[in-house]
Amino acid sequence: ADYSGADATVQATNDSSIVSKASAAALGYFKDDYLQHVAIRGPKGRLIRRSPLVNRCYYVRHLGISQMQEAFLHGCIQPGEPYNV
């Protein structure tokens, strides 16, 4: 992407983040069927792979957010009560 202006650096971090998330998802750290469609690809059209440490960090982040979401929903909704997510 071609960014310009005062926000260019901040906007570019979005691309880097999506590439990192797509790398972790492609390696099976978590399931996300959509990241592969929006992530910037390498010169041969393949998803860019990040280091194992970056993949593990995104996995831990994903796990933490998923657990917080589950805890929130369990605290707000009674068993058997329908809800929309």
Side-chain angles (χ1 to χ4, degrees):
D2 184 28
Y3 300 115
S4 61
D7 294 332
T9 303
V10 174
Q11 291 170 339
T13 62
N14 177 65
D15 294 342
S16 176
S17 175
I18 289 175
V19 167
S20 297
K21 290 174 191 172
S23 173
L27 292 171
Y29 283 91
F30 54 86
K31 184 173 176 10
D32 190 308
D33 297 326
Y34 303 102
L35 283 171
Q36 64 180 328
H37 300 292
V38 296
I40 293 173
R41 295 179 176 270
K44 294 185 179 181
R46 297 182 188 143
L47 285 174
I48 299 169
R49 289 183 65 173
R50 296 291 198 214
S51 72
L53 180 60
V54 171
N55 290 327
R56 289 181 189 124
C57 288
Y58 271 94
Y59 168 71
V60 169
R61 181 179 179 187
H62 170 80
L63 188 63
I65 290 173
S66 295
Q67 289 176 347
M68 289 176 65
Q69 180 183 21
E70 285 294 318
F72 173 79
L73 290 174
H74 285 288
C76 294
I77 300 167
Q78 300 300 318
E81 180 181 353
Y83 63 92
N84 291 320
V85 177

